[in-house]
Amino acid sequence: MSFPEHFLWGAATAAYQVEGAGDEDGRSSCIWDVLAPGHVSHDETGLVACDHYHRFREDIRLMKLLGLKSYRFSVSWSRVMPEGTGEVNQKGLDFYIDLVRELRAAGIEPMVTLYHWDLPYALYLKGGWLNPESPEWFAQYTAVVVKALSPWVRYWMTINEPQCFIGISYKGAVHAPFLDEPTSLLPATRNVLLAHGRSVQVIRSLAALPPQIGLAPCGAVFEPVSESPADVEAARAETFEGSVGPSGVSWWCDPIFLGRANPAAAAQMGIDPGELFTPEQWQLVSQKLDFFGFNIYQAAGMPLADSPYTGNTACGSPITAMDWPITPNALYWAVRFLQERYRLPVLITENGMANTDFVMLGGAVHDPQRIDYTHRYLLGLRRAIDEGYRVLGYTYWSLFDNYEWTFGYSRRFGLIYVDYATQQRTLKDSAYWYADVIRTNGRNL
């Protein structure tokens, strides 16, 4: 059985991870440029990355060769507005205008993520997401981008994974700005949620094409240990009521999609659920959205009685090069649980695996593990569709090998291999396989 007609088969990247040109054409520094040294493998940076800024036309030709229906990318705030507010850098904006025009000409749907972790350093010096003015900073930036790109763009995502750029960045110091200040979580949460709402308002009011608006959160979705009703409900409860911290799903998504704070999450925040926002602010935060984007690489495992393992692990069970367990039913349970709770069609905005890829003697990159991984996960996604859950598309992470944050360039997620010394691109076996999946609309799975 094939996937739905007009299913959006895509791939994704993010600005800091692929663009390069970090000191060109008026771009200013972001927090990763300035704060990452000492936190990243070999102190590697995104200064050059995949040089997508200069090579995007070549890269679009590769996307077209794969038959991609969509390409999800993010805009660099510091490239468009070097000080974060005020003056617009037209050269930086022109890059994205050229990009979306070329994508449209190639028959590829551009999907724009407005924020993927790369806050302008100038705004960080003003307090970053802890500054109460940050929602209006984000609204101003959104307006600039939407006015410029919306003649070619229909799909918009406001923010990517607040669970990461706030949840494990202001507590635990895992990502930039590498802080461990638990008292920052509540004000940062408030400001990011308000910024999301203001951004949605701006997109609705300014977009030239009728917009489809969502965001791209992540978070632990628990797989039941069996499909008995009791085990399914236990996994659902753990997903939304157990794993409720700032890196979980419901901390962020209940306010946005349900217009209320999750009571367990509010208890962790140390507030009454009704105290998070005023009634007017709740209306802003819970602006109507068109789809639920979700990034997921693995299902979380339920605890097992009298066992050191969980439901998604066992002695010697398969893992990726990120040491993440391979859980083929992850997409099924994510779509099912998220759609039943939030009542919107789901767009898988990231899914993929890091593998130990290299160019072999014959010049090819053979990655059968990635093919098998993706095949299994897509079978789970098709099961969700067959059971009547609404899925708009599947976006593989990532189109290219790229800068993998604190891992630097030591992890390879791409369908396309990048030799960082020469910038030569090599399509991996998985790229050709994925192209056939797209060509057949999944009938070959």
Side-chain angles (χ1 to χ4, degrees), residues 94-112:
D94 286 345
F95 164 70
Y96 296 105
I97 293 172
D98 290 343
L99 176 63
V100 296
R101 291 178 67 176
E102 293 280 343
L103 287 166
R104 276 276 170 226
I108 299 169
E109 189 82 49
M111 293 182 166
V112 172

Side-chain angles (χ1 to χ4, degrees), residues 43-59:
D43 273 343
E44 292 167 339
T45 74
L47 185 65
V48 177
C50 302
D51 198 30
H52 183 60
Y53 185 81
H54 297 112
R55 300 169 184 265
F56 74 92
R57 289 183 174 86
E58 168 195 346
D59 293 338

Side-chain angles (χ1 to χ4, degrees), residues 295-329:
N295 300 347
I296 181 167
Y297 297 84
Q298 58 179 298
M302 294 292 287
L304 301 176
D306 302 319
S307 174
Y309 300 103
T310 61
N312 67 342
T313 61
C315 182
S317 59
I319 56 174
T320 72
M322 293 289 285
D323 290 338
W324 296 345
I326 296 174
T327 56
N329 293 317

